[in-house]
C-alpha cells in the first residue's frame, strides 16, 4: 500500500510532513512530492495548489510517477448543511462539480459530458477508516458523511449557498475534491476526501475563514495522520 495525500495549501499538509519520516522529495510540475512513511505505511505527501486543474494534474503524477495505490485529500471546506458547524469533519460519500453545466444537451447539472457518471464515489473502506479515525482521534468532534461539491469558486454568499443546496444537496464546498475524485476514478485508484469545516460558505466567511482556516487544516491533517497510521 502506498497512499498519496493531497492538500491544496501548505497549511493543509505541514503537520503531515512534520510527522512523516521523509526519505526523498521529488519536484514535478512545480509540486514537491515528499516520499516516506507515516507509521509503517508508505506515503507521498504533496501540496497541489488551489483549483481543479492543479488537483487533477497532481493525481495523475501520483499515479504515473509514484504508482500510489490509494489517495486521500485533506483540507478545509465551507459548510453547506446548517447542521455542520465550523470544526466539524465531512468525509466524502462522493464528489461532484457544481460549476459544470451541459444541461442544454440533456446532461444533469454537474455532469461532465460523455463520462456516464455524475458523482464520483469514494472508496467505502477508506470512508470507514476516516470516520473511525475521527471518532477515535477526536471523539468530541462531529463527523458527517456526504457529498462534496467542487468548483473554481470560493462560496461566500447565502444566495450561492442556497443554490448549491437546492441543486446538489452537498454537505460542503471547496475547490479541488471533485477533480481529485475524477482523476482517481479514471485511473482506478480508491480515494476519499476528508474536510474540516473552516466557514459557513456565506457572508460570515469574511470574519471566520482567516480565524479558523489554519486550525481546521491542522485538525484535519492530524485526523488523516491517525487514519493512515492505523490502516492495515
Amino acid at each position: 500500500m502506498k497512499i498519496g495525500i493531497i492538500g491544496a495549501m501548505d497549511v493543509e499538509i505541514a503537520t503531515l510532513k512534520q510527522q512523516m519520516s521523509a526519505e526523498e522529495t521529488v519536484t514535478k510540475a512545480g509540486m514537491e512530492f515528499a516520499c516516506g512513511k507515516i507509521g509503517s505505511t508508505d506515503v507521498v505527501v504533496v501540496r497541489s495548489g488551489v483549483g481543479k486543474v492543479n488537483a487533477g494534474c497532481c493525481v495523475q503524477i501520483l499515479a504515473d510517477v509514484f504508482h500510489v495505490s490509494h489517495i486521500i485529500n485533506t483540507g478545509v471546506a465551507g459548510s453547506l448543511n446548517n447542521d455542520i458547524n465550523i470544526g466539524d469533519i465531512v468525509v466524502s460519500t462522493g464528489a461532484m462539480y457544481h460549476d459544470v453545466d451541459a444541461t442544454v444537451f440533456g446532461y444533469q447539472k454537474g455532469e461532465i459530458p460523455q463520462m456516464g457518471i455524475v458523482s464520483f464515489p469514494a472508496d467505502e473502506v477508506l470512508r470507514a477508516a476516516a470516520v473511525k479515525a475521527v471518532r477515535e482521534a477526536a471523539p468530541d468532534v462531529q463527523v458527517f458523511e456526504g457529498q462534496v461539491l467542487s468548483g473554481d469558486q470560493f462560496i461566500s454568499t447565502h444566495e450561492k449557498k442556497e443554490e448549491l443546496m437546492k441543486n446538489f444537496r452537498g454537505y460542503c464546498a471547496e475547490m479541488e475534491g471533485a477533480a481529485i475524485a475524477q482523476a482517481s476514478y479514471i485511473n482506478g485508484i480508491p480515494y476519499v476526501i476528508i474536510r474540516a469545516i473552516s466557514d459557513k460558505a456565506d457572508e460570515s466567511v469574511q470574519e471566520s475563514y482567516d480565524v479558523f482556516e489554519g486550525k481546521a487544516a491542522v485538525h484535519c491533517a492530524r485526523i488523516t495522520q491517525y487514519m493512515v497510521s492505523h490502516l492495515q
Side-chain angles (χ1 to χ4, degrees), residues 54-72:
N54 284 329
C57 289
C58 186
V59 171
Q60 199 60 53
I61 294 170
L62 286 169
D64 290 345
V65 177
F66 298 96
H67 308 293
V68 298
S69 60
H70 300 75
I71 287 177
I72 299 172

Side-chain angles (χ1 to χ4, degrees), residues 1-222:
M1 177 182 286
K2 180 189 285 187
I3 301 177
I5 305 175
I6 303 171
M9 300 176 291
D10 285 327
V11 68
E12 295 174 330
I13 61 166
T15 299
L16 291 165
K17 291 177 73 173
Q18 290 170 2
Q19 298 300 320
M20 69 183 288
S21 56
E23 298 170 357
E24 66 171 339
T25 299
V26 178
T27 301
K28 295 282 185 182
M31 305 174 196
E32 292 188 353
F33 295 80
C35 308
K37 291 182 181 292
I38 292 178
S40 60
T41 303
D42 291 322
V43 297
V44 182
V45 178
V46 56
R47 177 183 67 83
S48 65
V50 175
K52 297 184 299 186
V53 173
N54 284 329
C57 289
C58 186
V59 171
Q60 199 60 53
I61 294 170
L62 286 169
D64 290 345
V65 177
F66 298 96
H67 308 293
V68 298
S69 60
H70 300 75
I71 287 177
I72 299 172
N73 175 215
T74 180
V76 299
S79 170
L80 298 176
N81 184 322
N82 289 330
D83 293 332
I84 305 175
N85 295 309
I86 290 172
D88 290 343
I89 298 292
V90 174
V91 174
S92 63
T93 55
M96 64 182 296
Y97 300 107
H98 64 72
D99 62 349
V100 171
D101 190 342
T103 52
V104 67
F105 298 111
Y107 294 99
Q108 296 182 46
K109 285 186 177 180
E111 182 179 2
I112 297 174
Q114 302 179 12
M115 286 210 67
I117 187 169
V118 180
S119 175
F120 303 99
D123 180 72
E124 292 187 4
V125 173
L126 291 179
R127 277 176 53 191
V131 171
K132 182 179 179 182
V134 178
R135 290 175 175 163
E136 292 183 355
D140 56 331
V141 171
Q142 291 194 97
V143 58
F144 297 83
E145 292 185 85
Q147 187 83 251
V148 173
L149 302 184
S150 305
D152 285 324
Q153 304 172 31
F154 191 95
I155 307 304
S156 59
T157 67
H158 183 75
E159 180 182 12
K160 186 64 177 180
K161 177 177 178 176
E162 289 297 309
E163 176 190 331
L164 296 187
M165 282 293 293
K166 177 183 177 181
N167 290 333
F168 303 104
R169 299 188 181 278
Y171 276 44
C172 66
E174 35 83 296
M175 299 176 69
E176 298 83 26
I180 290 170
Q182 180 185 353
S184 298
Y185 173 81
I186 62 179
N187 281 283
I189 301 174
Y191 88 94
V192 73
I193 300 165
I194 307 171
R195 293 280 180 164
I197 299 303
S198 59
D199 60 88
K200 299 290 281 186
D202 57 21
E203 287 77 4
S204 67
V205 70
Q206 297 176 3
E207 299 177 359
S208 63
Y209 183 78
D210 288 343
V211 174
F212 295 108
E213 178 231 4
K215 293 179 181 178
V218 170
H219 183 52
C220 195
R222 287 175 176 163

